[in-house]
Amino acid sequence: MRVFQVINSFGFESGGAERIALQLHLDLQEKEMDMHLVGLEPCQTDRLNHATSLGLDSPYDLRAIFRLAKYLKHQLRPGDIVHGHLFPTSFYLAILIRIGLIKNPCLFTEHSTYNRRRKYRIFKVLDKQIYSTFSEIAAISLGTKNALTEYLPKTHSKVQTVFNGSVLKFKDFPERLSSSEKFTIISVGRLTAAKNYDTLLHALSDLTHVPFECRIFGEGDQRQRLESLSEELGLAHCIRFMGYITDLTPHLRAADMFVTPSKWEGFGLAVVEAMNAGLPVIASDIPGLREVTGPNGKSACLVPPNNASALRNAIKRMYELPLERQRLAAEGFKRSKKFSNNNMAEAYLKLYTDTLNAYNE
């Protein structure tokens, strides 16, 4: 069995789906699976076995379907599986299945509880056609599964939950390395509307009597606007936009708290990594994140999204209660073990095997 993952782009410096596709490629190759990874856009393929970039400037360039068709026509043979991620890759694969170029089982991973297409009726018609072509659909969380099956009820019979997984750096609970006089808050995520950093900045602007520094790691189209907002709120001296950094481990260990204020998330890899690094977590109380952290107060503090006052109060409370921070950090560390990259790889390996067996019956 060979598996061909197809995605808009892949890389550890990208978003969650792009990281997951690459991690799965590497992990299953280590388990001696014949894995192939195909990105529509330019991707770093050096030192990767069986990784291909189709070289398009945008995944929405319609030449993608012709390049993908040419690639798969020469590569696919009986017994292979195609595994797609993200839109518009899903659209191209659906077309190739319907015209008969892909005769192999094809599965798809749903990576988010929300996308803008779901607001428009015309795209719902399109999505019905796309999702109906896939043999199986993996949802990265129960929240993602529920959102998809509510949107497209006919997908219910073919959707199953396969949790994302992360490379867990710590086998044992790590000691905190923070020595700063300031209470150090860290957040990691792409600087986009979905990550909701406006709410975090407004919460911090009202955080009086707490000597804090907030470090935000990530890049995105909202960086300049967020930097301007930080200045407008009088936070320029205590907010640091760190950009993208390859290894966050020392920064996580040197922090006191992790905050993720997202409006929606399919999962929350950054939260898993923060819990594994022994950081107490404050997160939005939304599907996806709620499954990573567990219920409010168990392994993390959950607050309503878009509620700057609630977020401010949660941060202030955690600052004032160091024993509560320690308790949440210890519980979060234990919970992070559930979401290892090895668990994810084993789950996908089973899904591939079951999908191929069902296809051949």
Side-chain angles (χ1 to χ4, degrees):
M1 173 175 60
R2 298 189 303 167
V3 177
F4 290 81
Q5 286 193 96
V6 186
I7 189 168
N8 300 347
S9 65
F10 55 81
F12 290 129
E13 73 285 355
S14 304
E18 294 86 349
R19 292 174 60 193
I20 287 298
L22 178 53
Q23 191 64 57
L24 184 61
H25 178 75
L26 296 173
D27 289 341
L28 288 181
Q29 282 187 337
E30 285 192 3
K31 296 178 183 293
E32 300 186 352
M33 278 282 293
D34 195 349
M35 299 293 294
H36 299 253
L37 184 58
V38 183
L40 305 184
E41 298 178 275
C43 306
Q44 182 60 252
T45 59
D46 292 349
R47 301 179 183 178
L48 292 176
N49 292 326
H50 297 158
T52 302
S53 167
L54 299 185
L56 294 154
D57 290 335
S58 167
Y60 293 93
D61 185 335
L62 292 180
R63 290 178 297 175
I65 191 168
F66 301 105
R67 294 190 187 183
L68 185 58
K70 181 179 179 181
Y71 174 86
L72 293 176
K73 181 178 180 180
H74 288 92
Q75 293 289 335
L76 288 179
R77 57 191 187 218
D80 293 343
I81 289 178
V82 179
H83 179 185
H85 305 259
L86 301 180
F87 184 91
T89 289
S90 58
F91 174 63
Y92 304 139
L93 291 176
I95 291 176
L96 297 180
I97 292 169
R98 289 189 178 278
I99 66 175
L101 190 144
I102 297 177
K103 298 182 173 65
N104 306 68
C106 187
L107 59 90
F108 181 74
T109 294
E110 184 71 9
H111 285 277
S112 184
T113 57
Y114 173 82
N115 64 62
R116 286 173 292 182
R117 298 193 312 281
R118 296 185 187 182
K119 296 191 297 184
Y120 305 101
R121 183 172 299 178
I122 188 171
F123 285 114
K124 185 169 186 177
V125 174
L126 176 64
D127 280 341
K128 284 181 178 179
Q129 297 301 313
I130 291 173
Y131 285 90
S132 66
T133 63
F134 297 115
S135 304
E136 299 288 341
I137 300 171
I140 64 172
S141 65
L142 182 59
T144 304
K145 176 182 177 179
N146 290 341
L148 177 60
T149 55
E150 181 179 346
Y151 174 60
L152 297 175
K154 289 188 177 180
T155 62
H156 190 274
S157 63
K158 64 171 70 175
V159 183
Q160 60 178 285
T161 303
V162 179
F163 287 116
N164 276 350
S166 178
V167 176
L168 303 179
K169 299 291 183 69
F170 300 99
K171 294 182 179 179
D172 301 311
F173 186 80
E175 294 182 8
R176 300 258 41 84
L177 298 180
S178 178
S179 59
S180 173
E181 294 181 359
K182 292 185 177 181
F183 187 67
T184 304
I185 301 165
I186 192 171
S187 189
V188 179
R190 298 176 71 182
L191 305 184
T192 62
K195 300 303 182 183
N196 198 25
Y197 281 115
D198 294 64
T199 296
L200 176 59
L201 294 180
H202 281 286
L204 294 175
S205 70
D206 291 331
L207 193 63
T208 57
H209 309 301
V210 177
F212 72 88
E213 178 178 272
C214 180
R215 301 170 185 170
I216 299 174
F217 293 84
E219 290 289 356
D221 57 17
Q222 300 227 342
R223 176 164 181 167
Q224 185 174 358
R225 189 187 65 77
L226 290 170
E227 288 178 334
S228 297
L229 178 60
S230 175
E231 292 180 2
E232 291 172 14
L233 294 173
L235 295 171
H237 66 290
C238 55
I239 303 290
R240 296 177 61 190
F241 290 91
M242 308 292 290
Y244 171 76
I245 293 181
T246 303
D247 186 9
L248 284 166
T249 305
H251 299 281
L252 292 171
R253 293 195 67 190
D256 296 295
M257 177 182 294
F258 185 91
V259 177
T260 184
S262 301
K263 293 180 181 178
W264 64 84
E265 289 276 2
F267 186 71
L269 284 173
V271 172
V272 172
E273 292 165 0
M275 293 193 302
N276 182 248
L279 270 178
V281 169
I282 297 177
S284 292
D285 190 3
I286 54 174
L289 288 182
R290 196 182 301 130
E291 291 173 69
V292 173
T293 64
N296 183 32
K298 174 65 175 176
S299 305
C301 176
L302 302 182
V303 298
N306 299 317
N307 190 326
S309 177
L311 181 55
R312 178 200 65 217
N313 291 338
I315 295 172
K316 184 173 183 291
R317 179 173 178 269
M318 288 297 100
Y319 170 74
E320 294 172 345
L321 299 175
L323 292 180
E324 178 66 2
R325 293 203 307 272
Q326 293 173 21
R327 184 190 69 80
L328 289 179
E331 292 296 327
F333 174 78
K334 289 189 290 185
R335 188 169 179 84
S336 72
K337 299 298 186 70
K338 178 179 180 180
F339 305 109
S340 71
N341 59 309
N342 185 65
N343 288 349
M344 177 182 69
E346 291 290 342
Y348 272 109
L349 182 56
K350 183 178 186 303
L351 179 59
Y352 293 150
T353 302
D354 292 346
T355 299
L356 188 59
N357 289 340
Y359 190 82
N360 291 330
E361 286 181 355

